Every structure is written in structure tokens, then in C-alpha cells.
Amino acid sequence: MAFIPNTFITELIESIRLSDFLGTRLKLTRKGNSHWACCPFHGEKTPSFSINDDKNFYHCFGCGEHGNALNYLTGYERLPFVEAVEELAQYIGKEVPKTEKFVNQKEKKKQLTLYDLMEHACRFYQQALHKPMGSAGLNYFKNRQLTTDTISQFRLGFSPTGGKLVSHLKTKGFKISQMIEAGLVIKSTQKGKSDYERFRNRVMFPIHNKKGQVIAFGGRVLDDSNPKYLNSPETSLFHKSTNLYALNLASLNARKTNTLIICEGYMDVIALFQAGFNYAVAPMGTALTEEQIKMTWQYASSPILCFDGDSAGVKASLRSAIRALPLLKTGKGISFLTLPKGEDPDTLIKSKGSKKFQELVSQSLPISQYIWHVETQQGIPDTVEAQAQLENKLLSYVNDIEDPSLKKYLYNEYTTKLWQAVKSSYYNKNTYHKSKQTNSNNRYNNRYNDDIIQQISTPDRSENNVGIRSLILLCALVRFPYLFYKFEEQLFQIPSFNEQNIENLKNGLVDIISKHDIPVNYESMLELLKENSIYDLFTTIFTNSLIMHAPWLAIGNTTEQIQIEKLWKKIFMHYEKQQLELSIAQAKSQYLTSETPEDYQLFINLKTKLETLKEESHIIEDDD
């Protein structure tokens, strides 16, 4: 049994500049002699996670987490102790020394391990590639324009027929039972039939673990037979869902550059490495798993998924995006790079060069933008029903996110984008477009425009309940904090009408949501009101006389959430409608004075916006 000397561990920790190491995982800001970041242990908006290089420790003033680089790997990334030490050693390019404790003679004579067996198999395949029996495999790699160095770096090989691997491994002292256990030999289930090698007449791609040990193989046929690709089965060494091809080669460069490209296949990875993108990996012929997604975040804060541009590639990328959503955290994302149709990384680099591929890498989309792009690439639907269906689909993705801050901001992003897109679509279909005309034609059009404008009367400003409406909107945000997820942006637009109470309560709520996560319920919100010294103000406003105007605000009221959201939006839209009517009246007056095309277009834009608002208001009323 081996152990790692304590002296090595101490020297290892002391030799690492902590800000450089954590800088590959966190976004740091330098202040004085320290670096600061938002704490990964408890999540926050204001940085309280301090890194002191002189004393070689980090400390969070919010949650109290304290430690060094090794503590970070074992505490936050939850690596086993030995793996954490090996990660640090790999980071600075050192080998981990292991000292043998007392071992008796029987232990020294222990049978060869499966790791030894897989290493011998890998060497056999490598050697076979360069012998006459492997000439077809070597020609395949050369036709793919792989260099000798690349073939050697990835330890590519060839599996001959005729049971040659079994014979070779037997000469090294291995048993058939071990070969079956390692997945190299398949045990026959038919009487009288011999066990047989899994890989025959295939070019071979060895699969390594993070330590660089061979744990499995992938093999590709050289003819039209099926399956085209064949991988090792699940074994005690190899689990498809928790390994990535070439991670042993890519990990160090990925951390240095904070870039990790995830491709579809082995040859994609090899082609990228040969072109200088030495931070590429691939899953084992299956969709990216949750375990693999979490693993990639150890090496880059936003790994890039690179898929072919065909329909299958788009579907695979969307499945990966959906699988990643519940795992997303602040500072841990995923980006997407979709290649042109008919291209993969290998063909693209050969036809257009590595510079073109780098351009596509720089244009990769964050997951939020990518989902929007995929779901709206056919355009925004025309009908209200289809628009609602699209909104429900987008928001169902948002609901899968567990991080409350990300959920809030993505909710706002999608609802705002969709609303703007719907408005733009409506405007494009209903706006009167004019081409260049002569002066006489312009005068004729002006008379026609005047007829349209006269249909809009000066808005009725007789109602004096706008102050009450503002108080109801603000108190509803306190009573039902979940409204912030949908209407946070509208909070800033609620008018105060020079009423100090309205202004103070509004400013207090703005201050709360800028400093804290949105509370889960009314009681939690009241605690924050007390902390921000606006609790007394709220209690003087939130009285029975106000509740008479909005009974759904009452304590114990059982109105459903969706109905409360509609009521809030309906009140806010009344204010929006009044503001638009006033703006239209001003635009009308301005155009009648100037008669310029620009002022007329302003009037048309405002009128279109008002009609759209009225339509949405009717939809809400019809649903009630």
C-alpha cells in the first residue's frame, strides 16, 4: 500500500500561487493586496470571498469558509483527497511520489492488475499499427492527414484478427478471465464456441482516465460493416458516464486558457489537437451526462459544446442544454458552437483553416441565447396561441434551473425578448410604409395622415386613482414576492406622482431586490422591510382602506398565483395605457405643427404600441 509523504503535500500547497489557481475557476477582482470573488460555497451578489497570496489562504466573510488550494478541491469540488493532491501536482507539472509502507512477500507477488493488462493491450495495438498486418489502419490515419506525432500522442493502434491479442497477453502472464473482466474478450454463450476478442480489424483509440492510465478502447471499422464504432463495455475500470476522451491530455491546457471544447467524436478531438486546439474532449459515443457536465466545470467556467450543423447535431445540442439547465450556477455555464451544415471540426479545419474555427469558437452562444436561437429560428409565431405555447416552452426551461439568481434573470430575459419580438412582428405587419415621393404626393399623403390622426382624441385624465393603483402594485409585491420574478422591471416604472410615501416604498423595494435574493414568502419579505427601515412605512400604507380597493391583497385570501399575476398586470397596463394616450396626443400636436415624416412615424409607432397593449389587455380580460 502506498501513501503520499506529508512533506510533498506541504511543498505542493506552498508552491501554488492561490489567486492564479482559483483564477481558473472564479472571476477575481484585485483590491489592494488581495483578490476578491463572489463566494462559490454559498452564492452571493457582492464579493466577500477574499484570497490572500502572501498568507496562501482564502476566507469568506459571508459564510466563514477558509482554506488553501487543497481545501478548495476537497471542500468545494468534493474530490477525494488523493485525487485532489494529484490535481494540484498536475497543475504545476509535478509527479506525485508515493512511498511504500511495509509489504510482506505475499503482497509483492500479487497478480498483475487490470491496469497492467490494459497498458499491455494498448502497446500491442500501437505496435500492430506499424506492422504489415496494420497497414490498412495506418493508411486510414494517413488519409485523414494525421501526423506521426499525433498518432503517437494519442497512442492510436490497430486490432488484428486471429486471436493475436489473446496470445500476446498470455505470454505476459494474464488470464482469459482478466481479459473478459477488462472487456477485451467476449465470453461465448454457445456450446463448443471459443471466447473471442471484442476488437477485430479496427483502428483503435485508447481511452485514458485523468491519471493517464488506459481504461478502455474505442474501435472503428475500415469497411462498411456495422457497428461503425465499438467501445469497451462498462467495467470496474471504465464508466462511460464519468469519463471524457482525451481529458488526460486536455486538462492542463483547459485550465490555463479557461477553455474546453466538447466534440462529438474521437477524430474531432484529434483533429482539433493537431490544429492547435489542445483543450478538446469528447463523450464516449453517448449524449453528455450530468456527471460529465459537472466534470468539465473543473477545467473551464463555460465549456463549449461543438456539434455538427445537421438536424441531428442541433437535436443533440438541445438535449445537452436541457440536461445542463438544472446544474447551472453563477459562474458555471455552458456555451454552444454549431458548425455549418455538412461540416465537422476535421473537415472545417481542412477546408477553411484553424483561423475560421477560432472565429466560430469566439462566436459561441451562452446557453440562454442558444436555447432562444433554437426555439425561434423559424421565426416568432403569428397567432396568440402559438406565442403562448412558445412562452410556456421557454419558461419551462427556466423552471428547471435551481439557482434562484439565474432563474430570475433568465426569466426576465426570455419574457422581455419574446414581448419585444411579438411587438416587432406586429409592427412590421401593420405599419404604413412609404417610399420616396414628389412634393405634391407628400402633400396628398399629409392630408390622408391628418384623417388618421383626427381619430385619436386627447386622453381622458379625469380619473384620480392613479396614486391608489401605485400603492396596490407596490403592496402586492410585498404580499406576494414571487411577482418580482415576472414584474421586477416594471417596478422601476410605477409612478409616484410626487407622493413621498409611494416614492419611499418604491425605493425601499428597489434597494431590497438589488441586495438580496427574492424572498420566498410574505414573512421573509417583512423581515427585509425591517432591515431596510421601511416596515413602519409599509404598515401605515397597507391598511383595510387600501385592501377595500384590492381584496385579493388580504391576509388569508385564496386567490391563485396565476390570477394574482393577471390582476397585477391589468392594473399596471391601465397606467401604461394612460401614458401612451398622453404621448400620442403630444405626438399628434407635434406632427400637426411640423408635418415631417419623422414626427408622423413617431405617431404611428405609438399608435401601434397602444393597439398592441389593448389587444393584450383584452386577452387578460377574456381569461378572467
Side-chain angles (χ1 to χ4, degrees):
M1 180 178 178
F3 73 99
I4 304 171
N6 288 332
T7 53
F8 174 78
I9 296 173
T10 301
E11 291 172 1
L12 184 64
I13 294 171
E14 291 177 351
S15 63
I16 292 174
R17 184 177 176 84
L18 191 56
S19 62
D20 290 341
F21 176 71
L22 294 181
T24 63
R25 290 160 159 78
L26 305 172
K27 184 178 180 180
L28 305 184
T29 302
R30 186 178 181 87
K31 294 180 182 179
N33 294 327
S34 300
H35 292 78
W36 294 79
C38 290
C39 179
F41 289 93
H42 77 281
E44 58 185 355
K45 294 180 179 178
T46 304
S48 63
F49 187 81
S50 172
I51 301 166
N52 189 314
D53 285 325
D54 294 334
K55 297 181 180 179
N56 202 24
F57 65 70
Y58 60 78
H59 182 81
C60 177
F61 292 90
C63 66
E65 284 289 340
H66 182 97
N68 53 40
L70 184 59
N71 300 137
Y72 185 88
L73 292 180
T74 57
Y76 178 67
E77 298 188 1
R78 301 192 180 281
L79 292 181
F81 181 80
V82 174
E83 283 190 29
V85 173
E86 289 171 344
E87 286 275 328
L88 293 180
Q90 187 181 31
Y91 174 75
I92 62 173
K94 283 189 174 184
E95 289 289 332
V96 179
K98 294 182 179 179
T99 302
E100 289 291 331
K101 287 187 176 181
F102 174 77
V103 181
N104 60 31
Q105 292 301 313
K106 288 183 180 180
E107 187 68 21
K108 286 186 177 181
K109 292 179 181 179
K110 186 178 179 182
Q111 64 181 354
L112 296 171
T113 68
L114 293 185
Y115 285 118
D116 296 320
L117 184 151
M118 297 298 279
E119 177 61 29
H120 279 284
C122 183
R123 292 177 186 175
F124 172 81
Y125 290 143
Q126 283 183 277
Q127 293 167 4
L129 181 68
H130 298 281
K131 293 179 178 180
M133 59 181 169
S135 59
L138 188 60
N139 288 336
Y140 170 80
F141 288 132
K142 287 183 176 179
N143 290 336
R144 297 295 296 263
Q145 299 180 21
L146 299 188
T147 65
T148 302
D149 288 342
T150 298
I151 292 172
S152 175
Q153 180 184 20
F154 284 88
R155 306 188 69 185
L156 304 179
F158 177 78
S159 58
T161 58
K164 293 182 177 62
L165 174 67
V166 171
S167 298
H168 173 76
L169 292 177
K170 282 182 177 180
T171 65
K172 301 298 181 181
F174 295 103
K175 300 175 182 178
I176 285 289
S177 60
Q178 290 177 299
M179 300 178 207
I180 294 173
E181 186 181 355
L184 295 174
V185 171
I186 298 176
K187 187 174 181 61
S188 176
T189 57
Q190 298 180 11
K191 288 184 178 181
K193 294 286 186 178
S194 301
D195 301 334
Y196 55 96
E197 293 179 13
R198 182 178 300 275
F199 302 103
R200 304 180 305 280
N201 198 33
R202 292 174 181 265
V203 287
M204 300 297 290
F205 302 84
I207 299 167
H208 300 76
N209 60 17
K210 290 188 291 185
K211 299 177 184 178
Q213 296 169 303
V214 180
I215 56 174
F217 292 95
R220 185 196 189 282
V221 296
L222 297 174
D223 52 28
D224 296 329
S225 59
N226 288 311
K228 183 177 179 181
Y229 278 97
L230 181 66
N231 287 328
S232 292
E234 294 278 314
T235 69
S236 59
L237 301 183
F238 176 58
H239 304 284
K240 289 182 181 179
S241 64
T242 58
N243 285 282
L244 289 167
Y245 178 69
L247 183 60
N248 61 306
L249 300 176
S251 58
L252 186 59
N253 297 312
R255 280 186 174 141
K256 286 181 178 178
T257 60
N258 193 29
T259 306
L260 186 69
I261 300 174
I262 305 169
C263 306
E264 291 190 67
Y266 304 145
M267 284 303 301
D268 294 331
V269 171
I270 295 171
L272 286 176
F273 262 78
Q274 187 165 280
F277 301 93
N278 53 3
Y279 32 74
V281 297
M284 311 299 172
T286 59
L288 202 63
T289 66
E290 292 184 5
E291 293 87 350
Q292 289 168 332
I293 292 170
K294 292 176 182 177
M295 187 189 308
T296 63
W297 283 329
Q298 297 177 23
Y299 306 96
S301 57
S302 186
I304 301 168
L305 271 64
C306 176
F307 290 92
D308 297 348
D310 55 17
S311 59
V314 172
K315 289 179 181 177
S317 64
L318 186 58
R319 284 197 302 269
S320 297
I322 294 171
R323 185 173 287 111
L325 283 171
L327 309 175
L328 297 179
K329 297 178 181 179
T330 303
K332 300 291 183 185
I334 287 183
S335 298
F336 291 81
L337 188 167
T338 301
L339 297 173
K341 285 187 177 180
E343 299 278 15
D344 58 37
D346 187 21
T347 59
L348 182 71
I349 289 171
K350 286 174 181 174
S351 62
K352 298 182 180 178
S354 57
K355 186 176 180 181
K356 177 61 178 178
F357 186 82
Q358 181 59 56
E359 288 179 9
L360 293 176
V361 170
S362 64
Q363 295 167 9
S364 58
L365 297 176
I367 186 170
S368 60
Q369 294 180 26
Y370 182 75
I371 290 176
W372 171 266
H373 168 74
V374 171
E375 295 296 351
T376 62
Q377 58 185 344
Q378 301 301 324
I380 300 298
D382 293 331
T383 66
V384 172
E385 293 81 4
Q387 290 164 5
Q389 186 177 12
L390 174 60
E391 181 180 38
N392 289 338
K393 192 171 187 180
L394 289 169
L395 297 185
S396 70
Y397 294 145
V398 176
N399 288 334
D400 288 338
I401 299 175
E402 295 181 1
D403 186 287
S405 296
L406 284 178
K407 179 180 286 189
K408 177 183 71 174
Y409 285 109
L410 191 54
Y411 186 104
N412 288 339
E413 179 180 339
Y414 282 163
T415 52
T416 301
K417 271 186 173 182
L418 187 58
W419 175 231
Q420 290 173 344
V422 169
K423 285 193 298 182
S424 176
S425 176
Y426 180 89
Y427 167 79
N428 291 335
K429 292 177 182 177
N430 293 279
T431 300
Y432 175 73
H433 297 283
K434 299 188 296 181
S435 59
K436 279 193 170 183
Q437 298 168 325
T438 61
N439 289 336
S440 61
N441 284 340
N442 282 337
R443 285 194 294 273
Y444 172 82
N445 284 331
N446 286 344
R447 289 196 299 274
Y448 174 76
N449 297 340
D450 291 345
D451 293 338
I452 297 176
I453 289 177
Q454 295 303 330
Q455 299 172 20
I456 305 294
S457 61
T458 303
D460 180 11
R461 303 293 291 169
S462 60
E463 293 189 59
N464 58 6
N465 286 330
V466 284
I468 293 292
R469 290 193 182 93
S470 294
L471 290 174
I472 291 173
L473 291 173
L474 292 171
C475 288
L477 291 169
V478 176
R479 275 284 291 116
F480 311 106
Y482 56 76
L483 290 173
F484 277 109
Y485 286 114
K486 200 162 189 177
F487 303 118
E488 180 178 342
E489 185 177 340
Q490 285 85 338
L491 167 62
F492 299 90
Q493 303 170 32
I494 296 174
S496 59
F497 304 102
N498 296 320
E499 290 288 335
Q500 199 60 47
N501 281 352
I502 300 177
E503 188 68 21
N504 289 343
L505 182 56
K506 174 181 169 182
N507 290 340
L509 293 178
V510 169
D511 190 53
I512 285 174
I513 64 169
S514 67
K515 294 180 179 178
H516 303 277
D517 291 333
I518 293 174
V520 295
N521 52 36
Y522 177 50
E523 290 73 20
S524 301
M525 176 61 88
L526 291 180
E527 292 301 316
L528 292 178
L529 294 183
K530 293 175 182 178
E531 291 180 18
N532 284 263
S533 302
I534 56 171
Y535 177 79
D536 292 339
L537 171 62
F538 173 72
T539 55
T540 60
I541 294 172
F542 188 58
T543 60
N544 289 333
S545 59
L546 182 72
I547 294 174
M548 287 177 61
H549 293 279
W552 48 278
L553 290 178
I555 306 297
N557 187 278
T558 58
T559 305
E560 294 183 356
Q561 176 176 336
I562 189 170
Q563 189 64 24
I564 289 173
E565 290 177 355
K566 288 180 181 179
L567 289 167
W568 200 99
K569 190 170 185 178
K570 192 173 180 180
I571 295 171
F572 183 80
M573 287 173 68
H574 181 88
Y575 159 69
E576 281 188 302
K577 180 173 173 288
Q578 286 185 324
Q579 287 296 103
L580 275 174
E581 288 174 342
L582 181 60
S583 297
I584 288 171
Q586 292 171 344
K588 167 188 170 182
S589 176
Q590 184 173 329
Y591 171 71
L592 292 175
T593 302
S594 67
E595 295 190 353
T596 64
E598 291 79 13
D599 287 339
Y600 172 69
Q601 190 63 54
L602 173 63
F603 164 75
I604 287 293
N605 290 348
L606 291 170
K607 182 174 177 290
T608 302
K609 190 173 182 180
L610 178 61
E611 292 304 316
T612 305
L613 185 66
K614 285 180 178 179
E615 283 190 11
E616 186 180 1
S617 178
H618 290 322
I619 292 171
I620 293 176
E621 290 174 359
D622 291 342
D623 288 344
D624 289 345

